[in-house]
Amino acid sequence: MERYSRITNKNQREIVLLKAKPCAWGKCRFCDYIDDNSRNIPEMVRLNREVLSNVTGEFGVLEVIDSASCFELPEETLGDIKNVVEKCGIKKLFFESHWMYRKRLNEMREYFGIPIVYKIGVETFDNDFRENYLNKHADFEKPEEVAAYFDSPCLMVGIKGQTKEMIVRDIEILKKYFKLGTINVYTDNTTDVKRDEDLIRWFAGEYGWLADDPAVEVLFENTDFGVGD
């Protein structure tokens, strides 16, 4: 499992994949990342501290991800991140959070005292597909609601049952309402949600121009940021 990397093309930054406590929701139909959760706090803190020791501050920007939300990181690990921020001269953090924590985001901003770019796993702005099939538990109805709290939605493409029209609309919304975004091409895992190869080929051809869009990062593999397995 790779847990530290450097992103050197768009939005240059260091990135760490840390261990967190179990996701407060943990019922998304497509997600098996929760297998990386733990309840062994001392072991999590030790591992996270080791991973954070790799951070140099090269870009002044650090992204911290885990298999849940940033609010599921141990308190000791948050303290270690703050120490790294101060020691390495980090000027901006990227965190990810579930919709349920939307009213708590400023807690992290106040704690770290630097700007935080908040990502959110929207997956799709099609409310029916997101809630009734993917079971995302993010009950917003309009993209403006998301944009009021979060800076950078993460979309997912290439799922059986998804349509071209959904993807077109999702990307239009991303470009209209948000300054940054990530598009994850779905990879089969241990869940019953399956990859749609035809839809992915269409997406790759139709949206190849996103490779030159500085605001949108497209991940064709889960490990394209250099972390994970």
Side-chain angles (χ1 to χ4, degrees), residues 34 45 53 84-85 110 114 117 134 139 150 156 184 195 227:
I34 55 175
V45 171
S53 71
V84 166
V85 165
E110 292 171 4
I114 60 174
V117 176
L134 297 180
D139 58 354
F150 294 90
M156 193 175 290
N184 300 281
R195 175 178 167 105
V227 293

Side-chain angles (χ1 to χ4, degrees), residues 152-169:
S152 179
C154 299
L155 302 176
M156 193 175 290
V157 303
I159 301 170
K160 284 191 179 296
Q162 196 175 30
T163 67
K164 294 176 182 178
E165 291 75 19
M166 285 183 199
I167 294 171
V168 169
R169 178 173 177 268

Side-chain angles (χ1 to χ4, degrees), residues 17 22 26 43 64 78 102 122 127 134 145-146 155 167 190 208 212-213:
L17 169 60
E43 175 59 23
V64 177
L78 292 175
R102 63 194 179 279
V122 167
N127 297 337
L134 297 180
E145 296 174 66
V146 181
L155 302 176
I167 294 171
T190 60
D212 299 317
D213 187 329

